[in-house]
Amino acid sequence: MHSLEQLNAFIAVFEKGSYSAAGRTLNKDRTTVRELIKSYEDILGFTLFTIQGRKAIPTDYGNGIYPQVKLVLRQNHQLDLYTKELFEHNLHELTFCFDSDFPSDFIRQIESKALEAYPEVRINWVQKHREQALDALESGDLDLVFLPTKYNLLPKQTILYKNIGYINYHFYVGSQSPLSSHEEITLEDTQLEIQYIAEHTVKTDGLIKPFSSHCRVVGSNELLLSLLELRGWAVLPDHIASKWEAEGRIIKKPSPLLVDDVKIPASVFFSASSQYNPIIAQILDWCSDIAEHYF
């Protein structure tokens, strides 16, 4: 029966092209790597490599088994992640992070389902800026992160994510703002009038950026809306602006700054190991189910 050490030696020699290079990769002597390959060949009953100078050239047999050996090692790695998650992770407390532009109704449904299915598990909901959140997820300090995402840009952290829908953004002005009487907001208006932009939006480095010559950064959406009612303009998620718009306190306006409504993907981020946590896996499934009806 082969060993994982033999399989790792085979893959290293196959991919590096020599026993010496494989030894450096595995932190083993060249002789040790050769012995591992020879013992594996004895088990199989055929030769895996031919030696040409310093090169180890895979035989037809070696080329044939390479994909399967690679698959076995990948599955073994996944098993390691799964068992590590079961051993190390505290299944009685989870910490999720969300961006304040992420729909709160969506989060509320996740919370309700979790309370019903796992009443013994305490879930904490915290807010952090994008890079802080993703770094904390990578380090294991967070379990899931809910964020609007950048188009076509992968996070620099070694984490996974799934897109679950889109957040709609529109151009809004305050009901008491001088801009409220304009049928359409011109580019000159947007440059000369006060622009309010949420602090988390600035630090996300997404599609919505400071544009006006007089831009004011605000720490929360609630305060931003309160200030916007009196003057200026902002690009806001519809789900945040809808209540204030319905009350007549802010007004949605067309503007050449936006050809149409802006749709930004909403995603849930998770670590490679946490997906093997049965509770996390269930919540990821709920995200997909809820998104079908919400986004």
Side-chain angles (χ1 to χ4, degrees):
M1 184 66 180
H2 62 253
S3 67
L4 289 174
E5 193 175 25
Q6 290 169 332
L7 299 186
N8 279 309
F10 167 72
I11 292 297
V13 174
F14 189 100
E15 294 180 347
K16 297 300 180 180
S18 74
Y19 294 130
S20 298
R24 289 191 293 271
T25 298
L26 299 171
N27 197 27
K28 296 181 183 295
D29 292 336
R30 177 187 182 281
T31 302
T32 301
V33 175
R34 179 67 188 94
E35 290 173 351
L36 287 168
I37 296 299
K38 182 64 173 64
S39 62
Y40 189 28
E41 290 174 333
D42 291 342
I43 293 171
L44 295 172
F46 50 75
T47 302
L48 296 171
F49 299 98
T50 59
I51 305 303
Q52 297 180 9
R54 296 183 177 181
K55 296 291 185 181
I57 309 300
T59 63
D60 290 342
Y61 292 116
N63 284 316
I65 71 169
Y66 172 77
Q68 291 301 319
V69 174
K70 193 77 172 177
L71 176 61
V72 169
L73 291 178
R74 185 181 302 116
Q75 290 173 332
N76 180 70
H77 177 64
Q78 291 176 335
L79 177 61
D80 284 343
L81 290 175
Y82 177 70
T83 53
K84 181 181 179 182
E85 177 68 21
L86 291 179
F87 179 75
E88 294 184 351
H89 199 93
N90 179 3
L91 294 180
H92 297 292
E93 184 170 0
L94 300 171
T95 301
F96 299 163
C97 181
F98 67 99
D99 181 281
S100 57
D101 277 5
F102 206 94
S104 56
D105 285 348
F106 183 94
I107 292 173
R108 185 172 62 184
Q109 292 187 55
I110 294 293
E111 171 78 356
S112 296
K113 284 181 173 291
L115 279 170
E116 181 178 355
Y118 307 107
E120 76 286 358
V121 177
R122 182 171 62 190
I123 295 179
N124 306 309
W125 294 92
V126 301
Q127 282 187 267
K128 293 181 182 291
H129 299 306
R130 176 187 171 87
E131 293 305 321
Q132 290 178 330
L134 297 182
D135 286 343
L137 179 62
E138 186 177 42
S139 69
D141 292 333
L142 293 175
D143 298 290
L144 287 178
V145 173
F146 297 85
L147 289 174
T149 55
K150 303 178 184 180
Y151 279 102
N152 301 321
L153 289 177
L154 295 175
K156 66 181 182 182
Q157 295 81 0
T158 54
I159 53 181
L160 306 175
Y161 74 96
K162 63 187 292 187
N163 291 323
I164 54 179
Y166 292 90
I167 300 173
N168 294 324
Y169 290 73
H170 276 96
F171 192 99
Y172 291 91
V173 303
S175 60
Q176 300 179 45
S177 167
L179 295 176
S180 63
S181 61
H182 296 206
E183 289 188 10
E184 181 179 85
I185 308 302
T186 67
L187 287 175
E188 184 179 19
D189 290 333
T190 61
Q191 291 171 334
L192 296 179
E193 293 291 334
I194 293 173
Q195 176 190 3
Y196 290 109
I197 186 168
E199 180 184 16
H200 64 267
T201 301
V202 174
K203 294 188 176 182
T204 296
D205 190 29
L207 294 177
I208 301 170
K209 298 181 180 296
F211 185 79
S212 170
S213 59
H214 189 168
C215 183
R216 299 193 174 202
V217 178
V218 185
S220 72
N221 285 325
E222 190 69 22
L223 178 58
L224 188 154
L225 287 163
S226 180
L227 299 174
L228 178 63
E229 182 179 6
L230 302 177
R231 60 186 64 82
W233 63 273
V235 176
L236 297 169
D238 285 349
H239 69 90
I240 288 175
S242 59
K243 179 181 177 181
W244 287 65
E245 184 187 16
E247 295 173 353
R249 301 172 70 179
I250 61 174
I251 304 168
K252 185 185 298 185
K253 289 283 187 179
S255 170
L257 193 64
L258 300 177
V259 175
D260 199 353
D261 59 329
V262 174
K263 295 181 180 292
I264 296 180
S267 299
V268 54
F269 294 80
F270 50 96
S271 67
S273 61
S274 69
Q275 64 183 317
Y276 300 110
N277 177 323
I279 299 176
I280 296 294
Q282 178 62 77
I283 291 174
L284 290 173
D285 287 342
W286 288 338
C287 287
S288 299
D289 295 340
I290 295 171
E292 290 182 5
H293 305 286
Y294 186 84
F295 289 102

